[in-house]
């Protein structure tokens, strides 16, 4: 069962905070998998990114999406098509 990310007390927010604070690769990957499971997301690449971005409507996540979108739009990444 998936939980909407804008509900008060949403566990996805806590998982995302743990993801941000993770200090080791194993922790980062574990939190990411847990977050995707919590939100009911599957897939990979841009499909997963857009699903995660749409499902996780959390202020701290929005800051990350903004940074990633800006970086992807850079000419080195062919405006988001190279990665």
């Amino acid at each position: 069962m998936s939980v909407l990310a804008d509900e008060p007390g949403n566990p996805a927010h806590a998982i995302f905070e743990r993801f941000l604070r993770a200090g080791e690769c194993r922790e980062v990957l574990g939190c990411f998998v847990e977050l995707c499971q919590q939100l009911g997301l599957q897939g990979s690449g841009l499909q997963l990114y857009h699903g995660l971005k749409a499902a996780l409507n959390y202020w701290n996540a929005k800051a990350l999406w903004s940074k990633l979108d800006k970086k992807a739009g850079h000419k080195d990444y062919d405006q988001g098509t190279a990665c």
Side-chain angles (χ1 to χ4, degrees), residues 4-74:
L4 296 176
D6 55 355
E7 292 178 0
N10 187 322
H13 297 177
I15 297 168
F16 185 77
E17 288 295 329
R18 285 193 352 251
F19 169 79
L20 291 178
R21 288 190 307 270
E24 296 182 7
C25 186
R26 183 175 291 159
E27 291 176 278
V28 171
L29 290 174
C31 290
F32 185 76
V33 168
E34 186 179 353
L35 182 60
C36 289
Q37 289 173 344
Q38 178 67 39
L39 296 171
L41 298 173
Q42 296 179 339
S44 62
L46 280 177
Q47 176 191 13
L48 180 59
Y49 173 69
H50 290 299
L52 188 57
K53 188 176 168 182
L56 192 58
N57 188 19
Y58 178 53
W59 72 271
N60 220 355
K62 287 180 182 181
L64 178 60
W65 309 149
S66 178
K67 290 174 186 173
L68 290 173
D69 289 342
K70 184 177 179 181
K71 187 71 167 178
H74 193 270

